[in-house]
Amino acid sequence: MRYVVLVLAIIISLHFILSFSHEEYGRATSLSHLSEQFKGSQPHPPYQDGVPEEYYAQPSAPAQGRRANATFVFLARNGDLGGVVTSMKQVEDRFNKEFQYPYVFLNEEPFSDEFKERVQTLTDSKIEFGLIPKEDWVQPEWIDEERAAAARKKMADDKVIYGGSVPYRNMCRFNSGFFYRHELLHKYKYYWRVEPDVTFFCDLHYDPFLLMQDQKKVYGFTISLYEYPATIPTLWDSVKEFIKENPDLVEPDNAMKFISDDEGNSYNNCHFWSNFEIGDLDFWRGEAYSKFFDFLDKKGGFYYEVSNITVGLCERQADQVLQRWGDAPVHSIGAALFAKKDQIHFFNDIGYRHNPFQHCPQGELHKKGKCWCDPKDNFDYEWYSCLKHYDALFA
C-alpha cells in the first residue's frame, strides 16, 4: 500500500508539472514506463462512438460544403512558437487542410512578427491574433493581496513548483472564465482548443464541429482523469454552496454521476483534461455557467487556495503539486452540472497525446483513421482514468 501511495504521488505530481502549457513550466517527458505497471486488470468493452457515415467528407472540396461557425483557439506566448508549430502542423495535416477552419491566437502580450509569419505559412485558413485585455488576465483588484501573497509564500517556502507564480493562476482563471468572452471569439459558436506540443495521431475525415452542432453537443473530450485533491481542497464546498443557492440552474438530466459517487455530497475528483476541448462557446456564455464562474471567482480560489495536505511516505513529491483552482475541474464541473449528460461527447476517434497521457483509438477506429499511435499505449481504462465514470452515465 505504501508503494502504491508513493507511485501515485509521483505520477500526479509529474502530471501537474508536465501539463503546464507555457515555456516557463518546462517540457514534458513520457511516463509510459510507469503506466505499464498499472494496466487495468478488468476487461472493458470498447466505447462505441457512433459517428454516422454521412459526416465523413468526400475527397473533393469538403471546405466548400456545409460548415459550422467554428474556430481553433490557441492560448500561447511568443516563446511557445516551436510547440505551436508542431501542434498546428498536425492539426492541418490530420484534419484542417480539408476543412479550412480559421484560427484565433490569444496572448497576454503582442505576438511577434516572427510568430505571425511562422504560423501563417502552415495554413491557407484565416488567422487572427488577439491581445488579452489586462483586466481579463491580471489578478483582480478586489483580491486580498496580503492573503494571496501569504498563500504564495507558504507554497514557495514549501518548495512547491511555481508556488509563487501569479501568471499561472492568471492563466487558470482566464481559461476558466474569460477566453470565450474575447472580442475575436464573439462571432463564433464553436471552438477547438489546441495547445503547444501536443500530438494528433489519426486522420479525421469528418467534421467534429458539425457533429457538435447537429447532435446539440456542448462539450467534447478525449482524456479524463482524477484531479489531485490537495490542489482544490475548498472547491467542492464552494460548488455545493452554489448549487444550494441556485438549484434552478442545475440541469435535471445532468452528469453528476461523472463527478460524484454519492449524489453530490463529495467530489470524486474526475475531470476532463481541458488541454483538448471542442465546445460550444454559447454554453460558457450562458446564464448558468456565467453565474457559476462569477461565484467561484469571488471566492478567490484561483489565488488563495493553499493546503497543508501531504501524502505520508511521499511528502516531498506531494509538496510539488500546486494548490490552485484549475480550469479543467472548473470546466468539467460546469459541464457536468449545467449540460444534459448526452450533450457531453467522447471523441473516441481523435487520437491525442498531451504528455504524459494519450488516447489511442482502438480496433476499426484505429484502422479507419490510419492512426500511428501504439494501440497498447492507451489511457482510456488505466487505473487513473475517469472514462469508466463517463461510461456509467449511459449504463
Side-chain angles (χ1 to χ4, degrees):
M1 180 65 184
R2 291 167 66 87
Y3 173 74
V4 172
V5 171
L6 169 63
V7 176
L8 174 62
I10 293 173
I11 291 176
I12 296 172
S13 300
L14 287 175
H15 149 57
F16 283 103
I17 296 170
L18 299 177
S19 65
F20 303 151
S21 65
H22 297 315
E23 72 273 17
E24 67 198 60
Y25 308 126
R27 296 302 178 193
T29 56
S30 175
L31 285 182
S32 59
H33 63 292
L34 284 176
S35 65
E36 284 295 318
Q37 301 177 34
F38 292 96
K39 292 291 184 183
S41 59
Q42 297 182 356
H44 296 274
Y47 186 86
Q48 299 300 313
D49 194 339
V51 178
E53 286 294 324
E54 59 262 28
Y55 279 99
Y56 283 82
Q58 300 301 313
S60 58
Q64 298 177 13
R66 193 166 66 98
R67 291 166 59 81
N69 179 17
T71 185
F72 293 97
V73 177
F74 272 89
L75 176 62
R77 293 174 174 169
N78 291 312
D80 294 319
L81 179 57
V84 167
V85 167
T86 297
S87 299
M88 188 175 171
K89 177 62 175 171
Q90 293 177 83
V91 168
E92 287 294 308
D93 289 348
R94 304 279 77 79
F95 168 74
N96 203 45
K97 66 183 179 183
E98 294 187 41
F99 293 87
Q100 297 179 19
Y101 279 100
Y103 291 83
V104 171
F105 282 88
L106 301 178
N107 191 351
E108 63 181 294
E109 299 177 349
F111 284 105
S112 67
D113 291 340
E114 178 190 9
F115 189 104
K116 293 178 181 179
E117 291 170 4
R118 287 281 302 279
V119 299
Q120 286 172 330
T121 64
L122 299 177
T123 183
D124 293 327
S125 299
K126 179 181 178 181
I127 301 179
E128 294 180 281
F129 300 93
L131 183 65
I132 297 171
K134 183 178 180 181
E135 60 270 20
D136 292 350
W137 183 263
V138 301
Q139 178 176 300
E141 293 182 357
W142 49 262
I143 287 289
D144 182 344
E145 173 54 20
E146 183 176 346
R147 179 181 173 187
R152 295 195 304 270
K153 183 179 186 303
K154 181 184 186 306
M155 286 185 278
D157 290 345
D158 290 341
K159 296 181 169 45
V160 175
I161 297 294
Y162 318 117
S165 174
V166 175
Y168 181 69
R169 291 169 175 80
N170 291 341
M171 182 179 67
C172 290
R173 179 173 178 261
F174 176 79
N175 278 331
S176 295
F178 292 95
F179 84 94
Y180 52 87
R181 308 184 197 190
H182 194 279
E183 62 179 0
L184 292 182
L185 293 176
H186 286 176
K187 58 182 173 288
Y188 294 110
K189 166 75 170 172
Y190 299 100
Y191 73 101
W192 181 333
R193 174 173 165 179
V194 185
E195 292 205 350
D197 287 311
V198 298
T199 305
F200 292 94
F201 293 111
C202 310
D203 293 339
L204 194 64
H205 295 297
Y206 78 92
D207 188 338
F209 292 125
L210 286 179
L211 182 145
M212 298 285 288
Q213 174 180 292
D214 294 349
Q215 298 188 12
K216 295 180 170 55
K217 307 291 186 181
V218 299
Y219 192 85
F221 71 99
T222 57
I223 293 174
S224 60
L225 69 163
Y226 292 100
E227 179 70 289
Y228 187 48
T231 67
I232 51 169
T234 66
L235 176 59
W236 192 250
D237 286 340
S238 296
V239 172
K240 290 199 295 183
E241 184 180 345
F242 179 84
I243 293 173
K244 184 177 180 179
E245 293 181 9
N246 301 273
D248 57 311
L249 295 180
V250 178
E251 165 60 44
D253 189 23
N254 58 54
M256 176 67 84
K257 286 176 62 177
F258 176 73
I259 56 174
S260 177
D261 300 328
D262 53 14
E263 300 181 345
N265 184 57
S266 64
Y267 182 30
N268 64 13
N269 299 303
C270 281
H271 68 286
F272 305 114
W273 219 16
S274 61
N275 45 70
F276 173 100
E277 293 179 330
I278 299 178
D280 183 340
L281 290 162
D282 287 341
F283 176 74
W284 304 129
R285 297 166 182 148
E287 178 188 10
Y289 185 80
S290 295
K291 286 187 175 180
F292 178 65
F293 171 76
D294 290 343
F295 181 88
L296 294 183
D297 197 26
K298 291 300 182 183
K299 292 291 185 180
F302 295 103
Y303 297 96
Y304 297 149
E305 193 73 295
V306 65
S307 172
N308 293 318
I309 297 175
T310 56
V311 182
L313 183 64
C314 200
E315 291 185 2
R316 179 177 296 276
Q317 286 84 358
D319 282 345
Q320 299 302 302
V321 181
L322 175 60
Q323 283 82 41
R324 83 289 177 263
W325 291 358
D327 56 278
V330 172
H331 276 192
S332 301
I333 293 169
L337 292 179
F338 309 127
K340 296 179 185 295
K341 64 184 180 183
D342 62 3
Q343 290 182 300
I344 301 173
H345 183 72
F346 173 39
F347 279 103
N348 196 18
D349 50 2
I350 299 182
Y352 175 76
R353 181 180 185 88
H354 184 298
N355 279 330
F357 304 123
Q358 75 179 34
H359 166 65
C360 186
Q362 305 290 294
E364 286 300 311
L365 287 178
H366 193 279
K367 181 179 180 181
K368 192 170 188 176
K370 296 182 174 61
C371 305
W372 56 276
C373 51
D374 181 353
K376 293 179 291 187
D377 188 0
N378 181 38
F379 185 65
D380 288 0
Y381 294 107
E382 295 283 357
W383 67 287
Y384 197 56
S385 169
C386 280
L387 188 59
K388 58 185 176 293
H389 290 274
Y390 174 78
D391 290 346
L393 293 173
F394 309 100

